[in-house]
Amino acid sequence: MSLVLVLNSGSSSIKYQLLSPEADGPQATGLVERIGQGSGRIRHEGPGGPVVQELDIADHEAGMRLVLDTFAEHGPQLDASTLTAVGHRVVQGGDLFTGPVRIDDDVVAQIDELSPLAPLHNPANLSGIHAARTAFPDVPHVAVFDTSFHQTMPPAAYTYALDRQVAAEHRIRRYGAHGTSHRYVSRAVAEFLGRDVAELNTIVLHLGNGASASAVRGGECIDTSMGMTPLAGLVMGTRTGDIDPAVLLHLARTAGYDTQALDDLLNRRSGMLGLAGHTDMRDVHAAVEAGDEDARTALDVYHHRIRGYVGQYMAHLGRVDAIVFTAGIGENDEVVRAGALAGLEHYGIVVDPERNAGRKKAPTVISPDGAAVTVLVVPTNEELEIARQAVEVVAA
Ligand code: ADP
């Protein structure tokens, strides 16, 4: 049985899972937080249940050593000789990476070269890669990119109508995001329905704190809502999603916004937070129920945007077999699932209220029997997808 340590390194955190793609569920999960911030913390959940330790963690290498020490003390045993691979989530693969790759110094240099496209994420991912390569020098390390599933998009879908030379010089185009989730879910749907993925046209709605839609034809992405960066597309917890870019010019000219202020406004103070005062969809619903008109409008905007993308992707796909909800909101929020697809009955898209009710921990059909389009909820599992891809790369 293969065994993979999956790492998702942020600028001040390392999220990890130890799992075997052939087994059900991870052997251990954990999160190192507040790296380099004076008061760090690790939460590790292994065979003995959760353990938490608070201590200063200077950098990612110290964080990685802490992970290893915690495995040694609380289990399961993490022996380098039993690891098939370490799988790293990397946010931006640009147009350099169309699939997962084994990490060597050249790959590290290429991920670094793409940092201007993901200035917060790629450097953080590289810190994690460096720390893990130091900790496990003899184990294969594999990079799995959030963008690579979207590399099958045709030029018509990924090209912005921007001056061609400017775009080329600065690598400006649509790359997409959440690709690991879109890939996992679009394949899991085919498997669940007992259909060949090559014959299935699917719209995947990944609705978490970040949110994105994708159109998948025969297992290949043909369009997605995230753009050059994960700011485009659907309304998110704190991000605008699509907005007229001239709004930025307007704020710069008339209100003195500089790049930092615009970045902060668009990425951290907008979306559901900016509209309703809450990032968490549960809080938005509570506010709607309490009669808050702003929250009502925010939810309407959220649904309207999703419905618009569904319509767009129906047009691009021509025939839609399945629409799939996933991630925190997609898996748990029956109000959003029903609201986003309301009014599409004419197109054969119907959500059955009884089937839709409640949170879904396993693949579930929520459309009525015989509906032209099967609507489902499929829980995503990005760590499992990263582990699978890492094993495939090592085996190849
Ligand atoms: P991330 O993008 O951070 O990975 P997740 O996919 O974990 O996000 O989704 C987190 C979001 O899911 C929360 O911000 C919240 O809005 C939403 N969520 C979680 N549980 C529920 C629930 N029971 N009902 C509605 N929304 C939920």
Side-chain angles (χ1 to χ4, degrees), residues 83-113:
L83 272 185
T84 312
V86 180
H88 296 266
R89 177 196 181 207
V90 180
V91 165
Q92 181 54 271
D95 53 9
L96 301 180
F97 297 102
T98 56
V101 286
R102 197 161 169 154
I103 297 173
D104 58 19
D105 292 344
D106 289 341
V107 168
V108 166
Q110 285 174 305
I111 295 171
D112 190 38
E113 180 191 325

Side-chain angles (χ1 to χ4, degrees), residues 46-312:
V51 287
V52 174
Q53 195 189 347
E54 312 231 345
L55 74 174
D56 187 12
I57 306 163
D59 52 22
H60 283 78
E61 280 189 53
M64 203 59 228
R65 277 196 303 276
L66 177 62
V67 171
L68 297 188
D69 292 347
T70 307
F71 268 104
E73 193 175 337
H74 298 283
Q77 283 316 303
L78 179 55
D79 180 354
S81 67
T82 62
L83 272 185
T84 312
V86 180
H88 296 266
R89 177 196 181 207
V90 180
V91 165
Q92 181 54 271
D95 53 9
L96 301 180
F97 297 102
T98 56
V101 286
R102 197 161 169 154
I103 297 173
D104 58 19
D105 292 344
D106 289 341
V107 168
V108 166
Q110 285 174 305
I111 295 171
D112 190 38
E113 180 191 325
L114 294 166
S115 286
L117 292 172
L120 298 180
H121 292 105
N122 274 29
N125 299 154
L126 281 174
S127 299
I129 287 172
H130 180 70
R133 287 177 88 199
T134 307
F136 298 105
D138 300 322
V139 177
H141 291 255
V142 176
V144 178
F145 299 89
D146 276 9
T147 47
S148 64
F149 179 61
H150 304 302
Q151 279 293 307
T152 49
M153 283 187 292
Y158 71 65
T159 307
Y160 292 127
L162 187 68
D163 180 296
R164 182 199 282 276
Q165 267 155 9
V166 173
E169 187 181 345
H170 300 283
R171 301 188 120 120
I172 297 169
R173 49 160 283 182
R174 183 188 304 282
Y175 294 108
H178 297 142
T180 306
S181 175
H182 286 278
R183 184 177 200 271
Y184 174 84
V185 168
S186 52
R187 279 166 169 67
V189 166
E191 196 177 315
F192 178 69
L193 295 176
R195 300 273 300 272
D196 182 355
V197 70
E199 288 167 9
L200 212 61
N201 288 354
T202 306
I203 297 173
V204 180
L205 300 168
H206 176 112
L207 310 177
N209 216 350
S212 59
S214 69
V216 182
R217 176 184 287 144
E220 295 201 334
C221 177
I222 63 156
D223 204 354
T224 194
S225 62
M226 292 290 208
M228 183 186 88
T229 76
L231 180 57
L234 304 179
V235 178
M236 306 180 219
T238 64
R239 287 173 251 169
T240 53
D242 293 339
I243 186 173
D244 179 350
V247 170
L248 282 65
L249 304 177
H250 176 71
L251 286 171
R253 284 195 197 109
T254 63
Y257 277 63
D258 61 12
T259 46
Q260 186 55 49
L262 288 171
D263 185 5
D264 191 49
L265 176 69
L266 299 175
N267 276 304
R268 285 172 285 280
R269 287 171 46 208
S270 295
M272 297 311 271
L273 180 67
L275 291 175
H278 306 284
T279 49
D280 194 302
M281 204 49 102
R282 287 165 287 197
D283 298 331
V284 175
H285 291 311
V288 171
E289 274 154 37
D292 184 330
E293 282 301 317
D294 291 340
R296 178 73 257 167
T297 304
L299 196 58
D300 290 344
V301 173
Y302 192 86
H303 292 156
H304 181 95
R305 187 75 54 84
I306 295 172
R307 201 179 303 126
Y309 269 95
V310 169
Q312 205 186 121

